[in-house]
């Protein structure tokens, strides 16, 4: 039997419901599905959640994010009820102290929440891991990420221009959900590398910039492809601040790199070693402060603190010599990617 | 007509206890909470100097947070309680 929902209720005319939601400041700028009791109840039931259950607690805001509020926002975002468990895991991820909500939820750095889905649920819900990876066309990708951002807006208070002070932001702040292409990948999936079993489903969230695409149609081996990538990564994002990174390797590059016998560990190590800048360069380009000192021309600083700060996934279309890297927000000590199991 | 559920939360009411503001800074010990952003230490030291020379504060001590995104950690809070009468803190670039 359904438990009573306690959110404030508004009676509005059917045809005006969408406009009413805009007027209340509840939307991201696009129309939403009106959050009625029956829809919200179905959302909660699909994830077997009590409306009062706390999904996350955002310390700096003293905000308890309840299942009821997550469900209302998931309805508004256009989620099907079976997406709810994924949205919940994502909310748990950004509520983890290691993710440190206050920074990426408010910063001028303009982070979005890059959300990577692993495990069987990605296939069950048709979460795209292939063609047009970051683009439109898949309901689950768009609706899940949108629900997460609506929770950040409506529950956590990250209102653009008010508490969310992103100088530029980026389109991923509407939705930024991808899956790993586990079916075609020759490598260990991200969630298994992070301590889960292959048959578990997980959500990994990282506060992140937009994807940066790179192109290499020439190289027949791993070293060639990754040399191009390393050269592009070297001066990216917070090169002086050592954030985490995600690297998404699409079909052609994935096959080329795997053909050289390289796994994710070798990829990370190569990128770690080949993206280092000299201290002198970082100072000369004003990425770190200070006058150039003797020895700075020879002293190298990696763009990440350690190789494991690069999360490598297989994702993107089968055709095309393109892949991407995604710099994390701030520095790794400010916000870390977190992975949560999708509980069903 | 349909009934819509509110997706927002009202901020929980929290009691916040304020210490009485000092009538004067004369002889007061000033804590400076540095948020690790470039030049924030220089700015705070300058403020500290002004509080000493123009307002008669007795001393300044600087505390460094782990990073700009987190609240001051417990060790800082404990130390500030013991050694400072007034603190200067801010968030900014």
């Amino acid at each position: 039997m359904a438990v009573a929902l306690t959110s404030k209720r508004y009676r509005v005319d059917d045809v005006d419901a969408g406009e009413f939601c805009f007027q209340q400041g509840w939307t991201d700028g696009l129309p939403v599905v009106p959050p009625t009791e029956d829809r919200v109840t179905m959302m909660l039931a699909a994830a077997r959640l009590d409306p009062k259950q706390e999904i996350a607690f955002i310390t700096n805001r003293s905000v308890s994010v309840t299942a009821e509020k997550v469900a209302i926002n998931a309805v508004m975002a256009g989620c099907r009820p079976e997406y709810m468990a994924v949205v919940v895991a994502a909310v748990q991820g950004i509520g983890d102290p290691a993710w440190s909500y206050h920074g990426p939820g408010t910063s001028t750095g303009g982070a979005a929440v890059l959300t990577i889905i692993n495990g069987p649920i990605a296939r069950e819900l048709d979460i795209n891991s292939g063609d047009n990876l970051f683009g439109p066309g898949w309901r689950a990708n768009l609706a899940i990420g949108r629900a997460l951002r609506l929770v950040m807006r409506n529950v956590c208070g990250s209102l653009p221009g008010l508490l969310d002070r992103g100088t530029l932001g980026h389109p991923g702040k509407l939705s930024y959900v991808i899956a790993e292409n586990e079916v075609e990948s020759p490598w260990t999936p991200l969630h298994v590398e992070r301590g889960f079993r292959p048959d578990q489903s997980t959500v990994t969230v990282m506060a992140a910039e937009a994807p940066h695409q790179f192109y290499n149609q020439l190289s027949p081996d791993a070293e060639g492809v990754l040399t191009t990538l390393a050269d592009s990564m070297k001066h990216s994002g917070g090169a002086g601040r050592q954030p985490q990174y995600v690297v998404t390797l699409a079909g052609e590059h994935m096959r080329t790199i795997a053909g050289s016998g390289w796994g994710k560990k070798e990829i990370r190590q190569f990128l770690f070693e080949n993206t280092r800048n000299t201290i002198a360069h970082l100072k000369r380009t004003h990425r770190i402060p200070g006058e150039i000192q003797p020895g700075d021309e020879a002293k190298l600083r990696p763009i990440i603190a350690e190789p494991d700060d690069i999360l490598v996934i297989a994702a993107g279309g089968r055709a095309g010599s393109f892949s991407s890297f995604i710099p994390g927000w701030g520095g790794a000590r400010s916000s870390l990617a977190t992975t949560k199991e999708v509980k069903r | 007509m349909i009934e819509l559920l509110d997706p927002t939360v009202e901020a929980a009411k929290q009691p916040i206890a304020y210490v009485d503001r000092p009538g004067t800074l004369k002889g007061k010990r000033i804590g400076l909470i540095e948020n690790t952003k470039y030049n924030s230490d220089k700015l705070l030291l300058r403020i500290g100097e002004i509080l000493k020379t123009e307002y008669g504060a007795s001393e300044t001590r600087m505390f460094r947070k782990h990073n700009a995104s987190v609240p001051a950690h417990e060790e800082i809070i404990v130390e500030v309680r013991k050694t400072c009468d007034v603190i200067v803190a801010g968030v900014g670039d």
Side-chain angles (χ1 to χ4, degrees):
Chain A
M1 156 150 178
V3 185
L5 304 177
T6 55
S7 292
K8 188 174 174 185
R9 289 157 190 263
Y10 297 86
R11 282 182 70 75
V12 296
D13 196 273
D14 250 0
V15 283
D16 296 335
E19 205 54 43
F20 180 83
C21 294
F22 278 118
Q23 286 164 7
Q24 298 300 307
W26 293 345
T27 94
D28 49 15
L30 291 169
V32 292
V33 175
T36 55
E37 179 164 18
D38 54 346
R39 290 181 179 132
V40 173
T41 302
M42 279 165 61
M43 199 64 74
L44 287 164
R48 293 199 300 276
L49 287 168
D50 182 283
K52 289 192 180 59
Q53 188 171 327
E54 183 171 89
I55 305 301
F57 185 78
I58 308 299
T59 312
N60 292 75
R61 301 284 297 153
S62 271
V63 166
S64 174
V65 185
T66 62
E68 178 170 336
K69 292 298 177 185
V70 175
I72 295 171
N73 282 284
V75 167
M76 288 170 55
C79 287
R80 294 173 60 86
E82 56 265 39
Y83 301 170
M84 177 65 178
V86 179
V87 177
V88 165
V91 172
Q92 287 171 334
I94 65 168
D96 188 313
W99 201 81
S100 192
Y101 186 93
H102 182 64
T106 60
S107 166
T108 47
V113 187
L114 175 63
T115 303
I116 304 166
I117 317 295
N118 277 98
I121 202 160
R123 272 87 70 193
E124 287 168 31
L125 300 183
D126 190 28
I127 299 172
N128 183 33
S129 66
D131 288 335
N132 207 31
L133 180 66
F134 297 103
W138 280 263
R139 179 177 177 178
N141 297 59
L142 283 252
I144 290 168
R146 192 183 183 206
L148 180 62
R149 179 55 63 173
L150 286 177
V151 168
M152 294 173 73
R153 174 194 179 92
N154 289 328
V155 186
C156 308
S158 290
L159 285 163
L162 292 169
L163 196 65
D164 172 0
R165 299 305 300 266
T167 307
L168 300 173
H170 64 83
K173 289 180 89 165
L174 281 168
S175 182
Y176 205 6
V177 174
I178 59 175
E180 181 160 12
N181 181 1
E182 293 174 30
V183 173
E184 293 175 315
S185 168
W187 299 314
T188 308
L190 176 70
H191 68 310
V192 177
E193 287 192 300
R194 292 172 73 83
F196 294 87
R197 297 188 313 273
D199 64 326
Q200 287 176 298
S201 292
T202 65
V203 175
T204 300
V205 288
M206 184 179 87
E209 287 185 10
H212 299 230
Q213 185 168 298
F214 75 96
Y215 172 58
N216 178 330
Q217 198 171 25
L218 301 176
S219 299
D221 57 26
E223 191 165 338
V225 171
L226 295 176
T227 296
T228 310
L229 170 58
D231 187 56
S232 301
M233 283 175 77
K234 200 168 175 173
H235 307 300
S236 64
R241 301 167 71 186
Q242 298 186 322
Q244 291 181 305
Y245 277 76
V246 163
V247 167
T248 68
L249 295 165
E252 288 188 17
H253 287 163
M254 176 184 79
R255 291 190 292 274
T256 300
I257 294 166
S260 296
W262 289 33
K264 289 185 176 180
K265 185 162 178 271
E266 290 75 24
I267 294 168
R268 280 194 290 268
Q269 189 62 33
F270 181 89
L271 293 175
F272 178 75
E273 288 169 11
N274 290 279
T275 52
R276 291 176 295 180
N277 292 288
T278 66
I279 296 292
H281 178 77
L282 292 172
K283 286 182 174 175
R284 206 175 287 122
T285 54
H286 309 289
R287 289 183 163 97
I288 61 174
E291 297 293 318
I292 294 172
Q293 304 296 327
D296 281 355
E297 297 288 356
K299 202 185 288 176
L300 294 169
R301 179 176 165 86
I303 60 163
I304 52 214
E306 51 186 79
D308 282 349
D309 281 333
I310 304 176
L311 283 58
V312 179
I313 64 165
R318 284 182 179 173
S321 302
F322 303 96
S323 291
S324 86
F325 67 92
I326 302 166
W329 169 86
R333 287 181 302 280
S334 307
S335 176
L336 288 170
T338 61
T339 302
K340 302 291 176 189
E341 186 184 3
V342 178
K343 300 265 173 55
R344 296 191 278 171
Chain B
M1 297 294 280
I2 56 170
E3 203 168 58
L4 304 184
L5 292 163
D6 190 336
T8 68
V9 295
E10 288 181 19
K13 292 200 170 49
Q14 320 167 50
I16 298 174
Y18 289 101
V19 179
D20 288 339
R21 296 176 75 83
T24 170
L25 292 178
K26 210 170 171 54
K28 299 291 186 202
R29 301 164 300 170
I30 311 289
L32 306 169
I33 311 288
E34 199 252 299
N35 74 356
T36 76
K37 295 222 173 190
Y38 299 147
N39 291 330
S40 61
D41 51 349
K42 290 179 190 158
L43 178 67
L44 284 167
L45 285 173
R46 181 81 185 104
I47 291 169
E49 276 309 304
I50 291 171
L51 296 182
K52 281 200 287 190
T53 55
E54 296 183 24
Y55 294 87
S58 63
E59 60 179 67
T60 60
R61 291 191 58 179
M62 186 171 286
F63 301 89
R64 192 173 162 86
K65 295 205 307 180
H66 286 316
N67 65 66
S69 306
V70 295
H73 46 283
E74 189 57 25
E75 291 88 334
I76 289 183
I77 305 286
V78 169
E79 202 56 25
V80 161
R81 279 209 181 104
K82 282 195 298 203
T83 61
C84 302
D85 303 304
V86 172
I87 61 160
V88 180
V91 175
D93 290 79

